[in-house]
Amino acid sequence: MAAWPATAVRPAGARWEAAMAQALRAPAWVRLLPVLLVVADLVMEWSIPSSVAAGFLLTVIPVVVAFSGGPALVACSTAVTVALQALLALRAGHLTEQHHLWTYLATALAGAMGAGLARQRRRQARDLARVRAVADTLQHTVLRPVPARAGGLRAAGLYHPAQADVGIGGDLYEVCETQYGTRILLGDVRGKGLDAVRTVADVIGAFRVAAYETAELGELAAKLDRQVHRAAEQRGDRELFVTAVLLEHRPGGTELGLVNRGHLAPLLLAPGSVGTVRCPEDLPLGLGHLAAGPVEPPATVPLPPGRTLLLHTDGLTEARDRTGAFYPLAARLGTLPATDPDAVVSFLDRDVRRHAGSLTDDVAVLAFTTS
């Protein structure tokens, strides 16, 4: 699975077809190899004495075809190959000589083995496509597309896992419209691999339930903190934690509630202007029990019309170019003539990859503005 913008989603049927096509696709050189073998054999045939037939080089063609085609194509290529070998032998006057008969037999056996190989390859491709389609469906279930509108907010999002073929990394996000307003989560799990993906699913699942049932944003963060702590105890991982930012926007308002649990501070954007949102920062989710004092109440962030609030993970700011320089996020955003969410996300998607080439860490970005 390739990295995808969080605003894009494909139907399950289309994802299955794409996975199947990818699993069956052979490199161009594999598809061309049978033709090259025929050309090489004919060149040899015309460059050596006419009393020798060079058709033996064609014997491997059915097996080669098996790596790019199905059993029917292998059978067809076997018949054509044997016919071509017979014509070359006939040209040399050796049609029924013993070594040519063995060549025909070897080609037929290669065709039988090639057909079996092609059938097995297709069976494995179907299994692989099924696994990929299931993983792709789960990916879009865990990380749902960012809606263009969420309550009184316009939104855009971007998600690039470090391992594009996995589809989900250690970054997470969610946007929920609840009776308490629009609630937003963006976070980053400590660690990588399948354990991080498991934590992502746990935290997003807990957020989707608690966001609708918890009146106070601070208590919502506390519930997520306890969920991560329980997961850490169950896995025996005392170092498990999740840095996160939680937001809440009431319909019609120009302010947002903000809780920062050890995450990068959001940025407030306007054309030619970038500011860091100053707010209290508590311990990451899962480590709240270590706090020496009470948790800070949610901060209030003004978001007047024309301003955009940007949330991001450290995969964006820590993307390095060839010289090792980090991506200069604030400086690059300060050059934008327009800062509506779609423009900001599209710019970052292009610009960070232009800066770093291939991304080596997960990247998650959410941008919001009031309608």
Side-chain angles (χ1 to χ4, degrees), residues 65-135:
V65 171
F67 285 95
S68 59
L73 184 59
V74 171
C76 181
S77 69
T78 302
V80 171
T81 300
V82 171
L84 183 56
Q85 288 173 328
L87 288 174
L88 293 174
L90 181 63
R91 173 180 176 271
H94 300 163
L95 178 62
T96 59
E97 288 192 1
Q98 186 176 14
H99 71 280
H100 286 290
L101 294 178
W102 283 111
T103 299
Y104 308 150
L105 179 59
T107 303
L109 290 175
M113 290 186 291
L117 178 62
R119 187 177 294 108
Q120 179 64 22
R121 186 180 69 89
R122 284 186 170 264
R123 184 180 297 114
Q124 291 177 338
R126 284 194 297 270
D127 292 341
L128 178 59
R130 187 176 296 110
V131 171
R132 285 180 173 174
V134 170

Side-chain angles (χ1 to χ4, degrees), residues 22 47 110 115 125 129 133 157 176 180 189 215 239 244 277 285 306 337 341 356:
Q22 182 178 359
S47 64
C176 296
Y180 307 110
V189 177
E239 296 182 356
V277 175
L285 302 177

Side-chain angles (χ1 to χ4, degrees), residues 3-356:
W4 83 99
T7 51
V9 65
R10 293 176 296 169
R15 295 199 295 271
W16 163 261
E17 292 175 2
M20 189 65 181
Q22 182 178 359
L24 288 172
R25 187 179 298 115
W29 69 269
V30 173
R31 298 193 298 270
L32 289 174
L33 191 54
V35 177
L36 296 176
L37 286 171
V38 171
V39 172
D41 192 89
L42 293 177
V43 169
M44 291 177 62
E45 177 70 20
W46 264 267
S47 64
I48 59 180
S50 60
S51 61
V52 179
F56 65 88
L57 192 61
L58 306 178
T59 303
V60 298
I61 284 181
V63 175
V64 174
V65 171
F67 285 95
S68 59
L73 184 59
V74 171
C76 181
S77 69
T78 302
V80 171
T81 300
V82 171
L84 183 56
Q85 288 173 328
L87 288 174
L88 293 174
L90 181 63
R91 173 180 176 271
H94 300 163
L95 178 62
T96 59
E97 288 192 1
Q98 186 176 14
H99 71 280
H100 286 290
L101 294 178
W102 283 111
T103 299
Y104 308 150
L105 179 59
T107 303
L109 290 175
M113 290 186 291
L117 178 62
R119 187 177 294 108
Q120 179 64 22
R121 186 180 69 89
R122 284 186 170 264
R123 184 180 297 114
Q124 291 177 338
R126 284 194 297 270
D127 292 341
L128 178 59
R130 187 176 296 110
V131 171
R132 285 180 173 174
V134 170
D136 197 38
T137 300
L138 291 175
Q139 162 191 324
H140 286 86
T141 300
V142 174
L143 294 174
R144 298 184 296 204
V146 176
R149 282 191 171 273
L153 298 173
R154 287 193 296 117
L158 177 69
Y159 188 88
H160 281 293
Q163 294 179 287
D165 57 335
V166 174
I168 300 178
D171 289 357
L172 59 95
Y173 68 85
E174 182 57 294
V175 180
C176 296
E177 292 186 52
T178 74
Q179 60 182 322
Y180 307 110
T182 301
R183 286 179 161 174
I184 301 157
L185 168 69
L186 183 134
D188 187 355
V189 177
R190 185 203 66 82
K192 299 183 183 295
L194 293 179
D195 285 339
V197 173
R198 179 182 174 186
T199 303
V200 166
D202 286 347
V203 173
I204 290 179
F207 177 78
R208 287 172 180 167
V209 174
Y212 292 92
E213 300 178 349
T214 309
E216 298 298 327
L217 186 63
E219 178 55 28
L220 172 58
K223 286 185 176 181
L224 297 182
D225 176 79
R226 292 192 290 271
Q227 170 66 27
V228 176
H229 182 57
R230 281 194 298 270
E233 289 185 329
Q234 291 169 359
R235 300 179 200 176
D237 184 0
R238 296 183 179 181
E239 296 182 356
L240 176 63
F241 64 84
V242 180
T243 66
V245 175
L246 292 91
L247 295 175
E248 178 181 274
H249 178 255
R250 304 279 180 170
T254 58
E255 295 180 340
L256 291 91
L258 168 65
V259 171
N260 188 338
R261 298 299 296 263
H263 199 74
L264 299 172
L267 300 177
L268 194 59
L269 313 179
S273 172
V274 179
T276 301
V277 175
R278 304 297 179 184
C279 61
E281 182 178 323
D282 290 307
L283 290 174
L285 302 177
L287 302 180
H289 62 286
L290 301 177
V295 175
E296 294 286 346
T300 299
V301 180
L303 188 61
R307 297 293 183 100
T308 293
L309 190 70
L310 182 75
L311 310 179
H312 64 91
T313 57
D314 59 10
L316 185 64
T317 51
E318 294 181 2
R320 297 173 183 261
D321 64 11
R322 293 181 179 179
T323 67
F326 290 118
Y327 179 66
L329 177 61
R332 298 298 295 149
L333 290 174
T335 65
L336 292 180
T339 57
D340 62 275
D342 287 327
V344 171
V345 168
S346 296
F347 171 78
L348 290 176
D349 187 20
R350 298 188 307 270
D351 198 54
V352 71
R353 286 186 289 183
R354 187 182 300 116
H355 173 85

